[in-house]
Amino acid sequence: MSDLRDLYQEVVLDHSKSPRNFRVLPDASADAEGFNPLCGDQVHVYVTLEGDAVKDVAFTGNGCAISKASASMMTQAVKGRSRQETIDLFERFHRLVTGAAQDPDELGKLAVFAGVSEFPVRVKCASLAWHTLKAALEGARAPVTTE
Ligand code: ZN
């Protein structure tokens, strides 16, 4: 467990310092904003769909290291997946961070976020970008809030 915790800290630090896909997609097919008032995290997620596939995904925003790292890793994890696969992955990720995952390893690199389940207030930080991506895919008009 302590190896996983070290890896978690390393990955969160790396992705929060240099987030991947941190940009606006000017020709996005869908986008949504999310806000976590508990921590002050804000995220704007952009998706470009090609048919049913997530061709490109990016985000901008401000927040704590966990919210940024999670958004960054999310963009890497869902690029190229179908809409349904993306929503399935969101559900598995949510089970992971709430400590309900049967097999964390099936989430690949995202498994490092299993450590979040030990810190309930951080669950919203880790899942904010995912909630926002789901809202974008579902065409939500109102901003997402974790409260
Ligand atoms: Zn946060």
Side-chain angles (χ1 to χ4, degrees):
M1 198 61 201
S2 81
D3 282 356
L4 185 64
R5 197 167 299 152
D6 290 349
L7 179 65
Y8 166 66
Q9 281 169 356
E10 209 172 284
V11 167
V12 167
L13 203 63
D14 172 37
H15 280 264
S16 63
K17 275 184 166 173
S18 42
R20 319 301 198 270
N21 302 302
F22 188 78
R23 61 182 193 278
V24 174
L25 291 181
D27 56 350
S29 330
D31 70 296
E33 285 182 274
F35 183 48
N36 173 19
L38 210 62
C39 178
D41 308 315
Q42 281 176 292
V43 70
H44 196 144
V45 175
Y46 304 85
V47 196
T48 305
L49 295 165
E50 195 173 63
D52 193 47
V54 175
K55 188 184 165 206
D56 206 0
V57 53
F59 77 103
T60 60
N62 272 305
C64 66
I66 292 170
S67 70
K68 266 193 185 166
S70 176
S72 172
M73 289 185 74
M74 176 190 79
T75 61
Q76 292 187 312
V78 304
K79 204 180 275 195
R81 289 182 191 262
S82 74
R83 197 186 288 245
Q84 191 55 51
E85 283 170 348
T86 299
I87 287 170
D88 288 347
L89 191 61
F90 163 74
E91 281 163 6
R92 283 191 285 155
F93 182 80
H94 197 258
R95 284 199 291 274
L96 178 80
V97 296
T98 53
Q102 302 285 328
D103 181 12
D105 289 338
E106 70 170 9
L107 280 131
K109 286 181 187 171
L110 296 174
V112 298
F113 283 98
V116 170
S117 64
E118 291 176 49
F119 308 98
V121 296
R122 291 297 181 191
V123 171
K124 287 176 178 178
C125 301
S127 54
L128 176 66
W130 287 89
H131 281 292
T132 309
L133 173 63
K134 187 168 180 250
L137 290 174
E138 289 171 350
R141 290 271 167 252
V144 178
T145 171
T146 56
E147 288 304 298

